[in-house]
Amino acid sequence: MRLLLVHPSALMYSEIFLRLEPLGLERVAAAARADGHEVQVVDLQARKHRDLHETLRSFRPEAVGFSLNYLANIPEAIDLARGIKQAVPGCFVFFGGHSVSFVAEEILEQAEGAVDAVVRGEGEPAMAPLLEAVRDGGVDSVPGIVTSAGRGPAPTMLHSIDTPRPARDLMSHRRRYFIGELDPCASIEFTRGCPWDCSFCSAWTFYGRSYRKASPEAAAEELASIREPNVFIVDDVAFIRPEHGDAIAAEVERRRVRKQYYLETRSDVLLRNTEVFERWTRLGLRYMFLGMEAIDAEGLDLYRKRVSPDDNFRALETARKLGINVAINLIVDPAWDAERFRIVREFALSVPEIVHLTVMTPYPGTEIWHTEARRLTTRDYRLFDIQHAVVPTTLPLDEFYRELVRTQAVINRKHLGLRTALGAAQILGRNLLRGQTNFARMLWQFNRVYNPKRQLADHRRPVRYELPLPRRLDVGDRRQLYVHDKPAPRSGTGTPKGAGSEH
């Protein structure tokens, strides 16, 4: 069967700071290809809508799947699905990914026949049975599949994440992927899932608080096969298990793989497993994203981070000693007033680390979705991008955005302005000599992308598709929030095909 897989366009944040390869989509593609299907991929982060239309004309797919890791991409995907149905009559169109797993039925209703099915949960285990059912019938009975007729059996969860290896060869614009100075940059997955239960996050509810590790041999072998000099480790929290991080490091050392790395972790994990991070700095670990979320105990308790402010600041000092460049994330509470923004600006200027701001957003699948969603001021999918306020703000909305952008601009001038460009001249020059312009472009785009008038105007756009309100749920019973319940048991001598949701 001819299968076309599509990643939607970049969101606001991705217009500047990063553009990551669609690792989950590549693994779904590999699972389908291993089952004998002919697969092509169009990543609209790096390509245009006209490229998608040209591929539809030349490839004539029998099935088209959209990877939807972000709610804000849903309207674009539904409209594209309508066009695909007209351009390729009889084509089976399905959605999958993290975000749509929590609102599958509502998406099907809003698409009004343009979407035939939604894949809930990890995508790769569903590919072989879904495409077989598209050809022979019986789609409704495929595990994890939701159609207008209702939900099929529960989604299947992989036991091993070693296979299949991402089909990176299907990505025709790999030089477009970057994160900050790491340009170009590939992505890799060492673990999947998160054992913590932060109230603003849906990683733990999607995976049912499971946590799976790639074998050190498979992880290092995949890493050695990556052609890019830079790699983003996409794990929700890197090196939770120090023995696993050490084992991968040993395999990387044995293969003499040399890359530069960027990863995400928690302060308590860095403090507890410092030796592992130190070992990885010798292998090329240069950048770290640290989800502090708040600078005081009250904020940390609100988001159930289970870490103290002292731990956060000790972690920053530890990273500095290791020579790791750190980007801090802080969650902007819509309840902040002008004074709170001022305090955050002072904090951002007082530390050498880069500070990123994301607006508190109740997403389907998170605990705060069930406690905060009744307060929503908008249900426009496009505004659920952690850069817009979707619940009431203490400040008038226009003033809130002015303070938000003012704070972001102060941080931008500190880290991404002319002085930084001059300081990074060697990196810029090296990238430009290789034809890599992503990092150079990001230094000058802030004012075009982050603009309070633009953000306020986004609220005034006509809304065609609205996020549904959550059904009433007792969040005291955490299992009711889960998409997956537990990993599938091992069967026979082989490993199930597939490897998981998109990052």
Side-chain angles (χ1 to χ4, degrees):
M1 177 173 286
R2 293 186 304 280
L3 170 66
L4 175 62
L5 296 173
V6 182
H7 190 288
S9 303
L11 299 180
M12 181 176 172
Y13 187 81
S14 300
E15 291 183 48
I16 298 182
F17 301 109
L18 53 82
R19 186 184 302 113
L20 301 179
E21 72 170 303
L23 188 63
L25 200 65
E26 293 171 345
R27 299 186 75 146
V28 169
R33 194 161 63 175
D35 202 55
H37 301 284
E38 185 180 356
V39 185
Q40 290 194 21
V41 178
V42 174
D43 182 3
L44 294 174
Q45 295 179 111
R47 300 176 68 182
K48 305 295 184 183
H49 280 196
R50 63 175 177 268
D51 297 317
L52 173 59
H53 299 319
E54 176 56 36
T55 302
L56 290 171
R57 285 192 293 271
S58 60
F59 187 49
R60 304 301 293 178
E62 298 164 89
V64 177
F66 282 84
S67 174
L68 287 162
N69 215 27
Y70 306 105
L71 286 176
N73 285 130
I74 286 174
E76 176 192 24
I78 293 177
D79 286 340
L80 288 172
R82 295 185 193 280
I84 289 169
K85 285 290 191 180
Q86 294 176 356
V88 190
C91 182
F92 185 89
V93 179
F94 64 97
F95 286 179
H98 189 104
S99 288
V100 294
S101 291
F102 295 103
V103 289
E105 288 86 356
E106 292 83 359
I107 296 299
L108 289 168
E109 183 178 346
Q110 291 172 341
E112 298 176 329
V115 179
D116 297 292
V118 172
V119 181
R120 295 183 72 243
E122 295 185 328
E124 290 86 341
M127 281 303 97
L130 174 60
L131 296 177
E132 181 181 350
V134 170
R135 184 187 61 215
D136 301 333
V139 169
D140 295 345
S141 63
V142 176
I145 301 303
V146 183
T147 68
S148 57
R151 290 191 180 189
T156 302
M157 193 178 205
L158 293 173
H159 194 290
S160 170
I161 63 171
D162 284 356
T163 57
R165 183 155 320 157
R168 293 188 168 91
D169 60 292
L170 293 177
M171 311 308 298
S172 59
H173 290 71
R174 295 197 57 79
R175 293 165 65 89
R176 298 292 305 279
Y177 303 125
F178 77 104
I179 178 168
E181 296 177 1
L182 300 187
D183 180 14
C185 187
S187 295
I188 195 170
E189 181 180 42
F190 291 163
T191 65
R192 178 171 298 149
C194 181
W196 283 273
D197 60 351
C198 298
S199 62
F200 60 87
C201 181
S202 59
W204 63 277
T205 62
F206 184 88
Y207 295 116
R209 293 191 79 175
S210 66
Y211 181 73
R212 288 159 291 166
K213 305 185 291 290
S215 70
E217 296 80 10
E221 184 179 344
E222 181 184 340
L223 192 56
S225 73
I226 292 174
R227 298 172 63 181
E228 286 82 0
N230 309 301
V231 177
F232 176 45
I233 301 170
V234 303
D235 301 13
D236 291 308
V237 182
F239 305 145
I240 294 174
R241 300 284 184 261
E243 67 280 3
H244 185 240
D246 273 328
I248 298 175
E251 292 293 330
V252 170
E253 289 165 351
R254 185 170 68 83
R255 289 168 172 79
R256 298 183 179 179
V257 177
R258 293 301 302 175
K259 306 283 186 185
Q260 288 195 104
Y261 299 99
Y262 193 124
L263 56 74
E264 301 183 26
T265 197
R266 288 170 52 102
S267 296
D268 47 357
V269 172
L270 173 60
L271 293 172
R272 187 166 58 245
N273 303 328
T274 303
E275 294 80 7
V276 178
F277 290 92
E278 183 177 14
R279 184 175 187 177
W280 274 87
T281 62
R282 295 194 293 272
L283 291 174
L285 174 59
R286 297 289 179 267
Y287 302 89
M288 175 185 295
F289 187 86
L290 205 59
M292 283 181 55
E293 321 309 357
I295 58 177
D296 55 27
E298 182 181 4
L300 292 169
D301 289 343
L302 176 65
Y303 302 126
R304 203 164 56 230
K305 282 292 292 185
R306 304 187 191 280
V307 69
S308 71
D310 286 345
D311 285 342
N312 278 336
F313 291 114
R314 286 196 299 119
L316 292 180
E317 184 59 34
T318 297
R320 291 168 196 156
K321 289 179 180 178
L322 293 176
I324 301 172
N325 298 303
V326 176
I328 300 167
N329 185 68
L330 296 180
I331 297 177
V332 176
D333 190 331
W336 284 7
D337 57 15
E339 175 63 13
R340 187 62 179 176
F341 276 108
R342 185 192 65 78
I343 291 171
V344 170
R345 285 194 291 272
E346 286 188 354
F347 165 77
L349 292 174
S350 70
V351 296
E353 288 77 19
I354 299 169
V355 180
H356 290 296
L357 301 179
T358 57
V359 180
M360 191 280 291
T361 305
Y363 281 104
T366 65
E367 192 169 309
I368 61 173
W369 170 245
H370 294 278
T371 59
E372 297 291 321
R374 300 289 168 181
R375 301 176 57 232
L376 290 175
T377 56
T378 177
R379 289 190 286 138
D380 182 352
Y381 285 107
R382 297 167 298 180
L383 298 179
F384 284 74
D385 63 353
I386 63 175
Q387 299 301 316
H388 291 83
V390 297
V391 297
T393 55
T394 295
L395 295 170
L397 190 58
D398 60 341
E399 190 174 337
F400 173 84
Y401 282 134
R402 284 199 299 271
E403 287 290 337
L404 175 63
V405 173
R406 180 185 177 194
T407 306
Q408 290 168 321
V410 167
I411 298 167
N412 176 66
R413 285 195 297 272
K414 174 186 171 186
H415 295 287
L416 298 177
L418 181 60
R419 184 178 301 174
T420 299
L422 294 174
Q426 185 176 2
I427 296 171
L428 279 168
R430 188 167 60 244
N431 288 348
L432 291 172
L433 284 173
R434 295 198 311 267
Q436 292 298 132
T437 62
N438 298 304
F439 176 56
R441 290 174 184 273
M442 97 175 192
L443 293 173
W444 314 109
Q445 291 191 121
F446 181 87
N447 291 333
R448 181 182 64 81
V449 175
Y450 284 92
N451 184 305
K453 292 182 179 179
R454 171 187 171 179
Q455 287 174 276
L456 189 63
D458 288 342
H459 288 261
R460 302 191 184 112
R461 293 177 295 184
V463 180
R464 186 173 180 184
Y465 307 109
E466 285 193 315
L467 188 64
L469 288 171
R471 58 187 176 88
R472 293 194 176 277
L473 195 68
D474 177 13
V475 294
D477 181 5
R478 301 282 181 79
R479 297 178 71 88
Q480 292 191 59
L481 299 172
Y482 295 173
V483 170
H484 286 287
D485 218 2
K486 58 184 177 181
R490 294 186 186 274
S491 59
T493 58
T495 302
K497 292 176 183 166
S501 68
E502 188 189 349
H503 292 262

